[in-house]
Structure formats: structure tokens, C-alpha cells
Amino acid sequence: MKVWMTGLIIMLLSVSHASYAAHTINQQAKIIYDKTKLGKHLKYDVFLTAYKEHMRVADKPIMSIIDYSKPSDRRRFFIINTEEKKLLHHTFVSHGINSGDLYATEFSNIVDSKQTSLGTFRVAEAYHGKYGISLRLDGMSPSNSNARKRAIVLHGAKYAEPSTIKKLGMLGRSWGCPAIPMQLAAKVVHLLKEGGSIYAHARG
């Protein structure tokens, strides 16, 4: 009887601890969401999921969210310092050429699909490539687990500039990489490299 009671108490304490931790994370997320005034641009449930994923995979307090439910002529890439509760950047980001035109509607984790992948990425090392300073990404979700095999990286690109929107009515498209305006690339690389997170979301 005493052994059973001891086991029950341990189980209840574990459940209580897990519930408290979940409640604390939810509270922290709401504070950051309110302080950064993200309510004007991003649904809270998307932010909350992104924050929980950030807490799961990140090694630094810089998280980012890409909201692919928005068209590419809208600023849909958010970079947040969760420690300072500040929105650091709110900018444009491209999607894959086979994911759609103005809107990204098709997503894939398949090599050579040239489509965008959804899910959680842990940001790894910086390197200099075809587009200059760039970031390697590790897919931490079943929907983006092939990120390394597919060479899905974050980089700057001229086709991700606002000037392209004026010409085409939308951003240019990548082979699946999240491409951002060139002038922001170095800053974003510095912020996210080696431990930041990216949460890529779409409708559904």
C-alpha cells in the first residue's frame, strides 16, 4: 500500500510540475507577444506554437517566425529577442518556386522539389556561399527533416528586395530556401547563427 501511495504521489507531482511548466511557458509567451505588439501582424496561436518550439530546440534567445499564410508582397518574417521582449526585424522572405506565385500553397520535404518546407528549424553555422553570408539550417520537424540534404539555407537575395515587388507584384522565388533582402542578411545571420530558431507556418 505504501509503495503504491508513493508511486501515486510521484506521479501527481510529475503531472503538477508539467502543468506548472506549461502554464509558465504560456505566460511567458503572452508577455512577449504583448510587449512586441505582434498582435497587429501575427495570430497568437501561431506565436505560441513558435515559442514552444523555440524553447525545445534553441540555444539562444533569438527566435524567428515565417508566416507563409501571407503573400510574398507582405512582410512575413519576424525576428524576436525573447529575453529582451523586442521585435528586432519584420521583413520580407521568399518561398520556393514550386510552392506557388504570390502565395505559397504547396510545401515539401522532398529533395529537388524546389518547394518550401514548413516546421521548426534550428539555425546552425554561418558560411559564405553563392549569395554571400548565409545560414545552414537543421530541420527539427518531420516536415523539414531533409533540410541539410536539400541544402535549405537562409540567405540574402536581390529577388527578395521590395523593389522586386514593384516590378512583379510579388517577390522572386527560391529553390526552397527562405531568402531575405540583401541589406539585412549580415544582421540576421549574426542574430540567428548557432542556436536561434525559425518556425515556418502556413494555413491549416
Side-chain angles (χ1 to χ4, degrees):
M1 184 68 170
K2 287 182 180 179
V3 173
W4 179 82
M5 285 297 292
T6 300
L8 178 62
I9 290 168
I10 291 170
M11 183 186 73
L12 289 172
L13 286 172
S14 298
V15 170
S16 177
H17 179 73
S19 299
Y20 177 77
H23 179 68
T24 302
I25 287 174
N26 290 352
Q27 281 186 321
Q28 289 170 344
K30 189 64 168 67
I31 291 168
I32 296 166
Y33 184 76
D34 290 342
K35 287 266 189 181
T36 51
K37 296 182 170 59
L38 279 169
K40 296 183 287 185
H41 311 289
L42 191 69
K43 291 181 179 178
Y44 177 66
D45 61 336
V46 176
F47 177 82
L48 179 59
T49 300
Y51 182 68
K52 287 178 178 178
E53 287 296 282
H54 172 75
M55 296 297 287
R56 179 174 73 89
V57 306
D59 293 322
K60 61 195 299 186
I62 309 298
M63 68 177 279
S64 60
I65 302 167
I66 303 175
D67 187 359
Y68 285 119
S69 69
K70 291 181 168 62
S72 70
D73 65 349
R74 298 271 301 276
R75 293 184 297 159
R76 55 187 181 173
F77 188 31
F78 306 84
I79 301 177
I80 302 126
N81 185 317
T82 59
E83 199 168 72
E84 297 180 0
K85 302 174 181 61
K86 288 182 180 178
L87 176 61
L88 303 177
H89 294 288
H90 179 201
T91 190
F92 299 96
V93 63
S94 292
H95 54 254
I97 193 167
N98 288 337
S99 282
D101 295 324
L102 179 60
Y103 282 89
T105 56
E106 301 291 331
F107 303 93
S108 177
N109 189 33
I110 298 172
V111 175
D112 296 328
S113 67
K114 296 181 184 177
Q115 291 184 359
T116 290
S117 292
L118 299 178
T120 305
F121 299 86
R122 184 187 182 279
V123 182
E125 71 275 13
Y127 73 101
H128 286 270
K130 177 181 177 182
Y131 294 97
I133 190 74
S134 307
L135 284 172
R136 298 196 192 280
L137 306 177
D138 290 315
M140 307 299 287
S141 303
S143 54
N144 64 13
S145 58
N146 286 328
R148 284 271 180 170
K149 289 180 185 176
R150 297 182 62 203
I152 299 300
V153 300
L154 187 146
H155 61 79
K158 289 183 179 178
Y159 59 76
E161 305 282 352
S163 58
T164 303
I165 297 171
K166 292 179 182 178
K167 293 176 186 175
L168 304 178
M170 63 182 191
L171 291 184
R173 292 161 297 162
S174 68
W175 282 16
C177 298
I180 61 174
M182 289 293 289
Q183 70 269 22
L184 274 181
K187 290 180 182 177
V188 170
V189 166
H190 175 72
L191 286 167
L192 285 170
K193 68 178 181 179
E194 297 172 2
S197 70
I198 299 174
Y199 177 69
H201 157 82
R203 284 191 184 92

